[in-house]
Amino acid sequence: METTKCLIIGSGPAGYTAAIYASRADLKPIVYQGMEPGGQLTTTTEIDNFPGYPEGVEGPKMMEDLQKQAGRFGADIRWGMVSEVDTAQRPFLVKIDDGTELLAETVIIATGATAKYLGLESEQKFKGGGVSACATCDGFFYKGKDVAVVGGGDTAAEEATYLANLCRKVYLIHRRDQLRASKAMQNKVLNTTNIEVLWNHEVKEIVGVEQGFTKALDGAVLVNNKTGEEKKIDIDGFFLAIGHKPNTTLFFGKLDMDETGYLITKPDSTATNIPGIFAAGDVQDKHYRQAITAAGTGAMAAIEAERFLG
Ligand code: NDP
């Protein structure tokens, strides 16, 4: 069976940076890219806060660069999903979804996080047919139309301003009377004339018509949580921006996690509770969730894997 000194699961900034460091340390890492090669940044447009790109860079381009850089030092980057890691034995027995198995002396988990949904039945019904969790992927379909974004953080503010450039009107639905987003993003939202913030509103239902496989959203029913008053807004697109959940189902019952599923790493380290298994990026970071911090912990994980192997 194939054995690797270092298996990296995930291909966002954390996974690829771990791959750059691990390959330069001659660990000959194997990277499994997972369901979304390049990770969440492949669904963003301009990234202006990653050092080294004075003019900004498109998300997919940055991920392509990181992949190339990891490949340049010999990282073995593969398509496919890891379906199981046996953490009870070392080397760890790893199963891939195509049926392949391999042994890994160390594992770096960089599986990232996925957008959260509100949990409404109607939201699932119109997913991909009016409901989306990625404005930069799907905004184009709503050119000149009215849309809504739900959430009050930086993602919601960014998505709302992005959509405001394309759409006629953007409602920003927020459950409180204050945005969580950074001051700069708040100012951007509040100074964009075609964004209307609906403060203290929650989404009760998403409404539309379904005909066979065709779905068309035509509105959302909102409740004002201060007055109890209900109202319907007419929209063609509904965008979720209420945060993310870590992709850790593979490790339920195997690695220590917090109550929301974020992997717990030792202080000042990427080490999990199992020696030889490290976690980097959004899968273990609920505070910063930046490309640069993910890349930083990716580098830490590779250095720690190298030291672990001795
Ligand atoms: P956040 O967790 O910061 O914000 C989530 C927002 O969604 C909050 O306003 C929250 O409301 C609201 N929310 C959560 N659950 C629900 C629900 N069930 N119903 C209604 N509203 C809900 O997530 P983000 O994705 O916005 O940001 C994550 C991190 O990434 C942050 O650290 C952010 O700064 C960073 N980020 C940075 C960017 C940049 O620097 N360019 C761009 C995007 C993100 P409430 O406020 O009431 O809790």
Side-chain angles (χ1 to χ4, degrees):
M1 192 184 302
E2 185 178 26
T3 300
T4 179
K5 283 188 181 160
C6 181
L7 173 78
I8 298 167
I9 314 175
S11 57
Y16 281 146
T17 306
I20 293 167
Y21 275 72
S23 46
R24 285 171 60 84
D26 213 23
L27 302 187
K28 299 185 172 52
I30 294 174
V31 182
Y32 271 95
Q33 289 182 307
M35 207 157 57
E36 191 177 34
Q40 292 177 70
L41 288 185
T42 56
T43 62
T44 58
T45 46
E46 197 75 1
I47 299 168
D48 280 325
N49 53 10
F50 199 91
Y53 291 102
E55 307 303 328
V57 59
E58 300 273 311
K61 166 78 173 103
M62 190 174 98
M63 297 321 298
E64 211 182 290
D65 286 350
L66 281 174
Q67 180 178 349
K68 264 195 215 151
Q69 196 173 348
R72 187 177 137 215
F73 300 110
D76 180 351
I77 300 163
R78 301 180 183 179
W79 278 94
M81 300 263 298
V82 170
S83 53
E84 199 182 323
V85 179
D86 182 354
T87 56
Q89 59 166 79
R90 207 170 64 228
F92 307 104
L93 176 66
V94 179
K95 295 186 182 160
I96 314 301
D97 60 350
D98 63 5
T100 324
E101 291 188 350
L102 58 93
L103 291 169
E105 289 174 38
T106 62
V107 174
I108 296 174
I109 304 165
T111 47
T114 303
K116 280 201 290 199
Y117 282 75
L118 293 167
L120 301 170
E121 214 176 282
S122 50
E123 172 189 56
Q124 290 307 313
K125 193 156 76 181
F126 290 100
K127 200 167 159 181
V131 171
S132 163
C134 177
T136 50
C137 320
D138 300 324
F140 176 78
F141 301 116
Y142 304 98
K143 228 172 166 174
K145 298 183 172 174
D146 293 354
V147 297
V149 174
V150 62
D154 278 318
T155 304
E158 244 179 28
E159 306 238 317
T161 43
Y162 173 78
L163 289 165
N165 278 326
L166 288 173
C167 303
R168 198 175 69 105
K169 173 159 191 157
V170 180
Y171 295 99
L172 180 60
I173 306 163
H174 185 38
R175 62 185 179 184
R176 289 190 297 130
D177 59 1
Q178 214 179 344
L179 294 174
R180 180 181 291 279
S182 60
K183 272 276 170 287
M185 282 312 298
Q186 289 195 28
N187 288 339
K188 229 170 171 178
V189 165
L190 301 174
N191 292 320
T192 304
T193 48
N194 61 338
I195 298 179
E196 182 184 346
V197 186
L198 299 172
W199 305 104
N200 300 307
H201 276 82
E202 290 175 33
V203 182
K204 186 177 174 196
E205 214 61 74
I206 288 158
V207 287
V209 285
E210 258 190 305
Q211 270 179 342
F213 290 114
T214 319
K215 296 170 206 166
L217 189 147
D218 65 29
V221 180
L222 312 180
V223 186
N224 182 318
N225 58 23
K226 283 268 189 280
T227 63
E229 206 179 305
E230 278 190 22
K231 73 167 175 188
K232 179 176 174 263
I233 52 168
D234 296 328
I235 47 167
D236 297 292
F238 180 86
F239 291 87
L240 289 130
I242 59 166
H244 292 80
K245 69 171 190 316
N247 299 321
T248 49
T249 32
L250 262 186
F251 299 101
F252 282 172
K254 294 182 174 179
L255 295 178
D256 288 349
M257 301 178 188
D258 72 5
E259 65 294 343
T260 29
Y262 283 93
L263 292 179
I264 296 174
T265 49
K266 306 227 158 87
D268 299 326
S269 164
T270 61
T272 66
N273 59 307
I274 302 275
I277 301 190
F278 304 90
D282 285 12
V283 76
Q284 53 86 51
D285 167 24
K286 60 179 170 189
H287 299 293
Y288 305 105
R289 290 178 285 192
Q290 301 298 299
I292 187 64
T293 48
T297 51
M300 284 169 66
I303 293 168
E304 289 183 276
E306 184 197 358
R307 290 186 183 153
F308 176 83
L309 291 167

